[in-house]
């Protein structure tokens, strides 16, 4: 924990993922797709029908975020992570289909943690509630699917040095568990 | 008898929506800075300083503190000598939200039908309104835009009276432990004790409106708040759940008499984006 920051570029491969360990701080640059509950539901329904998805999941990053509208002169509004656990029931299928990185906040189910190991993926957290600050790392944003969902539409973001921290790695590491145990005191 | 025009209510609500979403209260900022000095976890310190930075950016650039601009809770205290003219009060409050959220580039997060179609209402209405009739001739409007990350971690327990004080302490700490990193710690914990199930939950919300970090005026309740707070901060969850001593900034409890057979306890968790603003007309 608490070494320097690791720069990673998205999309990425299993080899890059294998270098990341719970507690590592990363600065992520490249392409990131946004998706929350409603978009996840539609992605899974499209997979059930055998349709192609709005973007190829292979090696990609999904950021669980529903940004606020961009005020004039801004690329995007406030854009911090939403609670990842709501996506848990959809996640293992997306990881099996090639998704590599998830960015959100809050702990994941044991099924998701297993799938992270099985398919060599990584779960990152960004600071919940720091949406104004995090929006500064977003360089470009365009809607690519499900525009009718409003803030829940899928956006293709270009990010530069987006700050996040590794929560769950392919080795079974879990920063939420480790952090809590380290600082827990007898009351 | 004082007359208040609905137009004034509407424009007041519109500006409260924006003020609440852009500007973190000084009471919260002071507690975040205090926590930053006391926090021993390096990661926790970093999170706290980024939250302080986030609040500065939001205020300067008029960007929402958090993209989740919440369900709008409105606590109305209506003086019994006030006459509202120009229309329906609830409609006026919702019109104010419509105007404030649209003009302020705030996120619309309400869906009309909760369990099937879930279509966004497109204007962040309706608000959840709690109204109290009070003596006097003024109208007090307090807005609390409440994000779902923390709201989803709310808890209610109908304890047995025999469980008493310790039962309350244990239940609130357990609620915070189970919520973990989800409600965006450091949090503010609202606790409603007594009344009925509904009354307890409303009190837990009302407790969040108090100036953050101020104890209850009753000494016994204040001691309970302090004990729960130190229990929560011993959990180790820390800022953003990454480990640390600062899991909660404050615990606020409100109490009400209850039935001989009951001991309701409600817990409302508030993320660090503790946005509430008041105006009195």
């Amino acid at each position: 924990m608490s070494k320097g920051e690791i720069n990673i570029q998205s999309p990425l491969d299993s080899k890059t993922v294998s270098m990341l360990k719970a507690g590592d701080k990363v600065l992520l640059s490249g392409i990131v797709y946004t998706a929350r509950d409603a978009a996840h539901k539609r992605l899974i329904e499209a997979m059930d029908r055998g349709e192609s998805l709005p973007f190829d999941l292979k090696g990609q990053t999904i950021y669980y975020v529903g940004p606020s509208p961009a005020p004039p002169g801004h690329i995007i509004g406030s854009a911090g992570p939403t609670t990842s656990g709501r996506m848990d029931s959809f996640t293992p299928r997306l990881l099996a289909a090639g998704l590599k990185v998830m960015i959100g906040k809050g702990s994941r189910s044991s099924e998701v943690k297993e799938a992270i190991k099985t398919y060599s993926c990584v779960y990152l957290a960004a600071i919940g509630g720091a949406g104004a600050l995090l929006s500064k790392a977003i360089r470009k944003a365009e809607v690519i699917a499900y525009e009718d969902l409003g803030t829940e539409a899928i956006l293709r973001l270009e990010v530069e040095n987006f700050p996040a921290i590794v929560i769950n790695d392919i080795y079974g590491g879990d920063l939420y568990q480790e952090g809590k145990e380290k600082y827990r005191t007898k009351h | 008898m004082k007359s208040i025009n609905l137009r004034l209510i509407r424009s007041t609500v519109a500006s409260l929506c924006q003020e609440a979403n852009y500007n973190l209260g000084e009471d919260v900022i002071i507690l975040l800075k205090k926590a930053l000095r006391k926090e021993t976890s390096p990661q926790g310190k970093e999170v706290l300083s980024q939250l302080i930075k986030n609040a500065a950016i939001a205020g300067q650039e008029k960007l929402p503190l958090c993209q989740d601009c919440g369900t709008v809770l409105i606590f109305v205290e209506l003086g019994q000598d006030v006459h509202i003219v120009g229309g329906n009060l609830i409609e006026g409050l919702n019109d104010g939200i419509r105007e404030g959220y649209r003009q302020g580039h705030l996120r619309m997060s309400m869906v009309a039908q909760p369990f099937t179609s879930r279509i966004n209402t497109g204007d962040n209405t309706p608000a959840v309104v709690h109204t109290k009739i009070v003596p006097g001739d003024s109208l007090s409007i307090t807005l609390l835009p409440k994000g779902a990350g923390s709201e989803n971690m709310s808890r209610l327990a109908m304890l047995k009276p025999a469980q008493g004080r310790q039962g309350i302490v244990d239940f609130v700490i357990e609620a915070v432990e189970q919520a973990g990193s989800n409600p965006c710690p450091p949090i503010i914990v609202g606790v409603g004790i007594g009344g009925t199930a509904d009354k307890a939950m409303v009190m837990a919300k009302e407790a969040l409106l108090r100036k953050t970090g101020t104890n209850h005026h009753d000494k016994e309740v204040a001691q309970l708040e302090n004990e729960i707070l130190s229990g929560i901060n011993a959990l180790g969850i820390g800022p953003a759940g990454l480990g640390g001593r600062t899991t909660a900034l404050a615990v606020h409890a409100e109490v009400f008499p209850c039935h001989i057979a009951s001991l309701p306890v409600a817990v409302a968790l508030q993320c660090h984006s503790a946005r509430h603003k008041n105006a009195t007309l």
Side-chain angles (χ1 to χ4, degrees):
Chain A
M1 225 177 119
S2 267
K3 7 174 206 196
E5 283 138 342
I6 301 168
N7 289 286
I8 53 173
Q9 187 77 28
S10 175
L12 44 73
D13 55 20
S14 296
K15 194 172 157 247
T16 310
V17 166
S18 72
M19 294 175 353
L20 301 173
K21 299 209 174 67
D24 285 349
K25 286 190 257 179
V26 302
L27 291 173
L28 185 136
S29 299
I31 305 302
V32 167
Y33 294 92
T34 72
R36 297 171 42 107
D37 319 46
H40 271 74
K41 187 160 175 267
R42 287 201 190 171
L43 289 173
I44 295 294
E45 284 166 359
M47 287 168 87
D48 284 343
R49 292 191 298 262
E51 293 168 7
S52 64
L53 300 182
F55 65 100
D56 184 3
L57 289 170
K58 289 219 165 40
Q60 299 296 347
T61 300
I62 286 183
Y63 180 18
Y64 304 137
V65 59
S68 64
H74 285 74
I75 295 163
I76 199 163
S78 195
T82 192
T83 307
S84 309
R86 295 197 317 274
M87 269 52 80
D88 282 352
S89 61
F90 305 114
T91 297
R93 278 188 71 186
L94 299 183
L95 298 182
L99 180 69
K100 279 287 166 214
V101 185
M102 298 155 286
I103 308 172
K105 64 152 173 115
S107 55
R108 308 307 303 260
S109 66
S110 49
E111 290 78 8
V112 170
K113 291 181 205 171
E114 268 313 303
I116 283 172
K117 290 195 275 181
T118 307
Y119 304 110
S120 292
C121 306
V122 66
Y123 171 51
L124 310 176
I127 298 178
L133 180 67
L134 290 167
S135 73
K136 301 296 170 197
I138 298 169
R139 299 280 175 261
K140 209 174 159 190
E142 57 169 333
V143 178
I144 61 147
Y146 315 148
E147 194 162 7
D148 61 295
L149 293 178
T151 185
E152 297 205 68
I154 295 185
L155 303 176
R156 183 181 188 272
L157 304 179
E158 285 182 32
V159 302
E160 195 178 325
N161 295 329
F162 184 94
I165 189 158
V166 179
I167 302 293
N168 297 109
D169 59 30
I170 61 165
Y171 309 101
D174 185 338
L175 181 62
Y176 287 139
Q177 281 306 322
E178 293 160 19
K180 192 166 89 170
E181 277 153 27
K182 192 167 167 189
Y183 290 95
R184 195 181 184 98
T185 51
K186 192 104 185 97
H187 176 60
Chain B
M1 180 72 78
K2 182 166 100 179
S3 291
I4 300 178
N5 196 296
L6 200 66
R7 270 196 314 248
L8 177 63
I9 295 171
R10 193 168 63 211
S11 61
T12 301
V13 168
S15 60
L16 287 175
C17 289
Q18 297 182 17
E19 211 183 302
N21 274 289
Y22 303 149
N23 302 312
L24 190 59
E26 196 56 37
D27 53 342
V28 181
I29 293 178
I30 288 168
L31 289 178
L32 285 173
K33 287 181 176 165
K34 195 174 144 198
L36 177 60
R37 288 193 297 273
K38 286 168 70 180
E39 181 55 70
T40 53
S41 144
Q43 192 55 53
K45 272 177 132 43
E46 194 178 322
V47 170
L48 292 167
S49 61
Q50 297 209 0
L51 293 179
I52 294 165
K53 204 169 152 191
N54 183 68
I57 292 173
Q60 281 155 20
E61 298 189 21
K62 294 192 184 302
L63 271 175
L65 287 153
C66 176
Q67 72 291 337
D68 184 351
C69 303
T71 294
V72 183
L73 274 102
I74 304 184
F75 297 85
V76 174
E77 287 188 16
L78 177 65
Q80 62 191 25
D81 297 325
V82 172
H83 178 215
I84 291 165
V85 293
N88 175 320
L89 173 63
I90 301 298
E91 280 174 17
L93 297 172
N94 282 321
D95 285 344
I97 291 170
R98 240 170 236 129
E99 190 181 313
Y101 270 65
R102 205 162 275 160
Q103 288 175 1
H105 307 284
L106 303 175
R107 197 181 82 181
M108 313 301 186
S109 309
M110 297 296 285
V111 293
Q113 201 278 11
F115 61 90
T116 48
S117 63
R118 294 186 65 87
I119 293 171
N120 199 301
T121 62
D123 58 12
N124 216 47
T125 68
V128 173
V129 183
H130 297 290
T131 314
K132 268 187 193 162
I133 308 294
V134 297
D137 66 354
S138 58
L139 170 65
S140 160
I141 301 172
T142 305
L143 228 81
L144 173 70
K146 187 78 169 53
S150 59
E151 182 64 11
N152 288 345
M153 300 294 115
S154 305
R155 295 281 300 277
L156 173 73
M158 302 305 281
L159 299 180
K160 292 181 179 72
Q163 288 175 275
R165 189 180 186 279
Q166 193 58 45
I168 297 168
V169 173
D170 293 345
F171 175 67
V172 180
I173 295 173
E174 179 206 292
V176 174
E177 177 155 37
Q178 287 185 5
S181 52
N182 287 347
C184 288
I187 55 175
I188 295 146
V189 182
V191 186
I193 306 165
T196 48
D198 51 332
K199 175 70 180 173
M201 197 47 95
V202 174
M203 286 194 292
K205 285 280 167 50
E206 285 171 341
L208 298 175
L209 305 177
R210 197 190 298 165
K211 183 180 171 197
T212 312
T214 316
N215 275 121
H216 194 277
H217 56 83
D218 181 289
K219 224 186 215 164
E220 201 186 347
V221 181
Q223 277 169 0
L224 180 72
E225 290 173 336
N226 294 342
E227 186 178 331
I228 295 172
L229 180 63
S230 57
I232 288 171
N233 285 333
L235 290 172
I237 295 168
L242 303 177
R245 319 265 183 218
T246 322
T247 301
L249 296 174
V251 174
H252 296 171
E254 293 295 336
V255 294
F256 195 83
C258 67
H259 191 278
I260 47 172
S262 293
L263 178 49
V265 184
V267 181
L269 302 184
Q270 169 64 61
C271 64
H272 53 74
S273 245
R275 305 158 286 190
H276 51 86
K277 296 284 184 231
N278 169 271
T280 302
L281 304 176

